[in-house]
Amino acid sequence: MSPFLLTRTLPEDATEAALRADVLKGLTHTPKTLPPKWFYDAHGSELFEKITELPEYYPTRAEREILVAHSGEIAAATGARTLVELGSGSSEKTRYLLDALTGLHTYVPVDVSESALTQAGHALLDERPELSVHALIADFTAGLALPGTPGPRLLAFLGGTIGNLLPAERAAFLSSVRALLSPGDALLLGTDLVKDENVLVRAYDDAAGVTAEFNKNVLSVVNRDLGADFDPGAFEHVALWDAENEWIEMRLRSLAEQTVKIPALDLAVDFAAGEELHTEVSAKFRKEGVRAELSAAGLELAHWWTDEEGRFALSLSLAR
């Protein structure tokens, strides 16, 4: 069996330091904000898995449909010998690509969660003993160095996660991705597409309330890790469509005037009744907009695939 290598590029205490910095900055800002990456502790990850199975939440099913239908074309277009996946998580959807990439030598999953990387990496090696897996514990939004692996390389960023970045952040991210690629390498990017407002809002405000619980989980993370006294029941989940920016915004609205204490930061935060804490944007895209953003970063859109209903897209771009 090929080896499973695990490389840590984040210091052991990087997560706590980042949380402290984000909470201090976000809760002293106007409007108040908390970054969506803090949804994803173990409980948050379980909730998100439930979200992906909800009837209202179409992106995961739509992206899987595209991978099932077109992974062979992706493999033929790239001839990749190395697959790099940013935010790999359980690597579940990646298996369609791994099956199609018959000449693959190395898989490089990148995630902040050591446990997710270890579990997924060993599971893959049990199924594919000939594959080399070199996992990276890293924050791909903060710069990334890839291990030396054979080319051509296919870098995959799936799930529509790029929509959680604001436009300037997306531009910086895509430029950093381009810097990792050599001629002949490619980027496979998942993007959720603009569609009917009601469909979008329902996807982020489901009838069962799972997304509401997921949104409030960020408060539980701050309570547990920084000793805060947020009462999640004192906030309500809000999801709305911003037609000008073409993104969904998730917020938590304070149901009453209240003060939250965060001892680890020696901070007391006042909320007015009805005041909203911004937790996530999820941008939706159009093909020409994706092409323009890729081009600005030095990437050329070569292939564009959607599911049958045109809800979601996978694009393959080549390094220029």
Side-chain angles (χ1 to χ4, degrees):
M1 179 180 284
S2 299
F4 172 70
L5 300 175
L6 184 70
T7 300
R8 175 182 289 277
T9 65
L10 284 175
E12 292 281 357
D13 62 351
T15 300
E16 182 184 348
L19 176 63
R20 293 169 68 98
D22 284 346
V23 172
L24 181 60
K25 179 181 178 182
L27 294 187
T28 56
H29 186 267
T30 303
K32 296 181 177 69
T33 64
L34 286 174
K37 65 182 178 181
W38 301 117
F39 293 143
Y40 295 95
D41 64 350
H43 181 55
S45 296
E46 290 173 4
L47 288 171
F48 185 71
E49 287 302 314
K50 290 182 180 179
I51 288 170
T52 65
E53 298 166 1
L54 293 169
E56 299 97 329
Y57 193 80
Y58 60 85
T60 303
R61 290 188 298 276
E63 186 176 52
R64 185 180 292 113
E65 179 187 317
I66 301 168
L67 287 168
V68 169
H70 299 290
S71 283
E73 294 169 61
I74 295 166
T78 61
R81 298 201 67 221
T82 296
L83 173 62
V84 180
E85 185 179 9
L86 304 183
S88 54
S90 66
S91 300
E92 181 188 349
K93 285 181 294 189
T94 321
R95 284 167 165 76
Y96 300 111
L97 291 172
L98 294 174
D99 288 341
L101 292 165
T102 54
L104 194 69
H105 178 277
T106 304
Y107 174 51
V108 182
V110 182
D111 206 285
V112 295
S113 170
E114 180 174 354
S115 59
L117 287 169
T118 301
Q119 183 175 346
H122 285 298
L124 284 173
L125 284 176
D126 287 342
E127 300 167 14
R128 299 171 169 81
E130 76 289 348
L131 186 67
S132 291
V133 178
H134 190 152
L136 297 182
I137 305 171
D139 180 354
F140 57 78
T141 64
L144 186 65
L146 295 177
T149 57
R153 291 182 297 184
L154 173 60
L155 192 150
F157 190 34
L158 304 176
T161 308
I162 193 166
N164 296 145
L165 303 177
L166 296 172
E169 295 170 331
R170 289 202 303 268
F173 168 75
L174 289 171
S175 293
S176 71
V177 165
R178 172 60 187 89
L180 296 172
L181 303 178
S182 302
D185 293 345
L187 168 66
L188 183 67
L189 181 65
T191 47
D192 196 8
L193 302 179
V194 174
K195 58 186 66 65
D196 180 79
E197 176 180 348
N198 291 327
V199 173
L200 287 165
V201 171
R202 283 198 302 270
Y204 293 84
D205 193 9
D206 59 278
V210 183
T211 309
E213 186 181 353
F214 175 68
N215 194 8
K216 292 181 183 183
N217 191 58
V218 72
L219 306 180
S220 300
V221 169
V222 177
N223 284 352
R224 183 193 63 227
D225 293 349
L226 299 182
D229 62 355
F230 275 106
D231 174 8
F235 292 82
E236 66 177 340
H237 168 67
V238 177
L240 55 87
W241 172 242
D242 181 329
E244 181 179 351
N245 290 303
E246 295 193 323
W247 63 44
I248 285 282
E249 286 192 14
M250 291 210 316
R251 305 174 181 177
L252 291 169
R253 180 181 294 145
S254 179
L255 295 173
E257 184 177 324
Q258 57 182 306
T259 299
V260 175
K261 297 181 177 63
I262 308 174
L265 301 176
D266 193 23
L267 184 66
V269 182
D270 295 324
F271 286 87
E275 183 177 358
E276 293 178 339
L277 169 62
H278 295 228
T279 53
E280 182 180 82
V281 301
S282 185
K284 308 306 169 188
F285 296 88
R286 302 176 188 270
K287 183 178 181 180
E288 289 313 308
V290 173
R291 186 194 301 276
E293 291 194 35
L294 290 167
S295 180
L299 294 159
E300 183 177 355
L301 179 63
H303 297 275
W304 176 268
W305 299 280
T306 69
D307 63 296
E308 283 195 5
E309 294 183 41
R311 299 167 296 178
F312 196 94
L314 282 182
S315 59
L316 187 71
S317 2
L318 306 176
R320 287 209 307 261

